Amino acid sequence: MKVGTVVGARPQFIKAAAVSRALRSVGDVQEVIIHTGQHYDANMSEVFFQELEIPKAGHHLGIGSDSHGAQTGRMLEALEQVLLNEKPDQVLVYGDTNSTLAGALAAAKLQIPVSHIEAGLRSFNRRMAEETNRILTDHLSTLLFAPTDAAVVNLRREGISTEKIHRVGDVMYDAALYHGAKAEATSRILHRLGLKAKHYSLVTVHRAETTDTPARLHAVTKGLCQASGHMQWVFPVHPRTRTALMRDSLLEDLSKCVQVIEPVGYLDMVMLEKNSCCIATDSGGVQKEAFFYRVPCVTLREETEWVELVELGWNRLVSPTDSEAVAKVLSDSSTGARACRVDPGDLYGDGHAAERIAGILLMSS
């Protein structure tokens, strides 16, 4: 069986590493990795391939940044040609980015079966580009690998055939279990930054609805500066976010109250997450990693696709439109522990989601 794996963004590299490792262990499977270049910075792409031991991409499309429509269109055109040449039996796509949708569209138009890993997630906010990408990809897919029971319910509610849906668990949890110990053994990020475990908090911001809306970016940065009076904050700045902060003349003032650093590799990020008092983020994947490592999380959005974490009280939502509200929630969350009796495995599987996916793919060929 020949599998074409489409990736382009940092969270997809983490998921693809787990599934690629499982595919190599199940037998006669040839995997061709197609990197769209959605994340093209070395710290956002190359280091992840190295640390996660992902096979070298067979194709690097070098698409880079652009508007949603233009970026997706350029990806679709380039992916179609690669798929015509490679002729895979299955195309794997991950998550909810423009790379995800472009990969699913290109494959579906060529009548190549699409498998969506992380299917069925819904934030129920159609204004988010990611929500559109999720829904369209799910309805284009032949195999839908759902991480949670809630995701299965969402897919059935939308009329997707039960035969297509497989509740396998979350490959991000696989990755957290597999790489957590390695990060402890190899990462020196805390020493390098002069950080003491559980004496700082971590923030990540990268979504377009935050960075491309000046009022939101101002509210987040002002709230962070106010919260820094209660706790040291460390901020690995995504290239898009850095550009936006410079555009709005916010970077210099932010750097005075928050420890601004360059993007870090996966193992260093794991160490920063595991040893922080609190994580504030607009990322879907980081929300879950916070729960995996038992770190309280604040999500800088009005809603999340990981609703179960909010219902548990582990994740708190705050709209990034009011700096006072942001500051209060960040201050409260970084100084107060939360109790949670639910084990990550109860929600996200037993750490063998990738193996189940590989087995189902093999049986479907």
Side-chain angles (χ1 to χ4, degrees):
M1 179 176 66
K2 189 175 188 179
V3 173
T5 294
V6 178
V7 293
R10 182 172 174 150
Q12 293 167 338
F13 307 150
I14 301 168
K15 299 163 196 169
V19 176
S20 180
R21 188 167 57 249
L23 287 173
R24 293 195 298 272
S25 72
V26 295
D28 189 19
V29 177
Q30 178 188 0
E31 184 185 22
V32 178
I33 295 177
I34 308 162
H35 187 342
T36 66
Q38 184 170 336
H39 280 176
Y40 50 89
D41 180 271
N43 286 333
M44 300 296 290
S45 177
E46 291 174 21
V47 69
F48 269 52
F49 273 71
Q50 295 165 8
E51 289 185 343
L52 297 172
E53 300 170 356
I54 305 172
K56 186 177 179 181
H59 301 271
H60 197 303
L61 307 183
I63 301 299
S65 298
D66 213 324
S67 65
H68 283 295
Q71 186 184 60
T72 306
R74 291 168 60 207
M75 288 177 182
L76 180 58
E77 181 179 14
L79 283 165
E80 181 180 62
Q81 191 56 55
V82 171
L83 296 179
L84 282 169
N85 292 336
E86 290 286 354
K87 297 180 173 59
D89 300 299
Q90 283 273 352
V91 168
L92 297 188
V93 295
Y94 294 80
D96 57 15
T97 70
N98 289 340
S99 297
T100 311
L101 179 58
L105 277 169
K109 286 177 177 293
L110 294 173
Q111 312 221 338
I112 302 169
V114 178
S115 294
H116 186 199
I117 295 170
E118 218 171 62
L121 302 185
R122 298 291 182 268
S123 67
F124 303 102
N125 179 1
R126 291 292 186 98
R127 292 172 299 175
M128 291 179 64
E130 292 85 356
E131 184 79 349
T132 300
N133 292 345
R134 293 179 200 123
I135 293 169
L136 293 176
T137 299
D138 282 340
H139 286 267
L140 289 168
S141 296
T142 304
L143 293 174
L144 297 101
F145 295 114
T148 63
D149 292 333
V152 171
V153 170
N154 289 335
L155 294 170
R156 288 175 176 168
R157 188 183 292 129
E158 293 176 12
I160 292 175
S161 171
T162 302
E163 290 73 25
K164 295 181 176 183
I165 303 168
H166 300 269
R167 202 289 200 188
V168 293
D170 194 330
V171 294
M172 288 287 284
Y173 188 45
D174 294 18
L177 294 175
Y178 186 84
H179 292 287
K182 184 177 179 181
E184 292 280 357
T186 63
S187 175
R188 299 291 177 265
I189 188 75
L190 299 188
H191 175 74
R192 193 162 71 244
L193 297 179
L195 299 173
K196 186 177 179 181
K198 301 302 177 183
H199 282 70
Y200 68 92
S201 290
L202 179 69
V203 60
T204 75
V205 174
H206 76 279
R207 286 188 181 261
E209 62 264 27
T210 309
T211 62
D212 296 354
T213 307
R216 286 178 172 249
L217 195 60
H218 278 256
V220 169
T221 55
K222 186 176 179 182
L224 270 172
C225 282
Q226 290 176 312
S228 68
H230 301 273
M231 173 64 64
Q232 178 183 2
W233 285 86
V234 178
F235 190 173
V237 180
H238 188 287
R240 175 199 285 151
T241 309
R242 181 176 291 275
T243 298
L245 289 168
M246 294 175 67
R247 175 201 68 206
D248 294 346
S249 302
L250 296 171
L251 185 59
E252 184 176 350
D253 287 342
L254 182 66
S255 299
K256 294 175 183 177
C257 53
V258 172
Q259 189 169 352
V260 173
I261 64 173
E262 292 296 317
V264 296
Y266 179 59
L267 298 179
D268 283 344
M269 189 63 177
V270 166
M271 279 298 286
L272 288 173
E273 289 173 349
K274 291 181 72 171
N275 290 283
S276 63
C277 292
C278 171
I279 296 173
T281 187
D282 61 359
S283 160
V286 174
Q287 293 172 46
K288 283 187 299 171
E289 288 170 339
F291 179 59
F292 298 158
Y293 301 129
R294 285 300 200 256
V295 177
C297 184
V298 174
T299 295
L300 301 165
R301 286 158 49 183
E302 283 87 0
E303 72 290 301
T304 176
E305 58 274 28
W306 301 105
V307 292
E308 59 274 8
L309 298 183
V310 177
E311 292 168 355
L312 286 173
W314 197 261
N315 186 5
R316 297 176 64 180
L317 296 173
V318 60
S319 174
T321 57
D322 182 340
S323 61
E324 297 293 332
V326 169
K328 184 177 188 312
V329 174
L330 294 184
S331 297
D332 291 348
S333 296
S334 62
T335 55
R338 298 181 203 169
C340 183
R341 296 179 181 177
V342 176
D343 186 89
D346 296 337
L347 293 175
Y348 299 116
D350 58 4
H352 297 283
E355 294 166 34
R356 292 191 186 90
I357 289 168
I360 294 166
L361 286 170
L362 200 62
M363 286 190 297
S364 69
S365 63

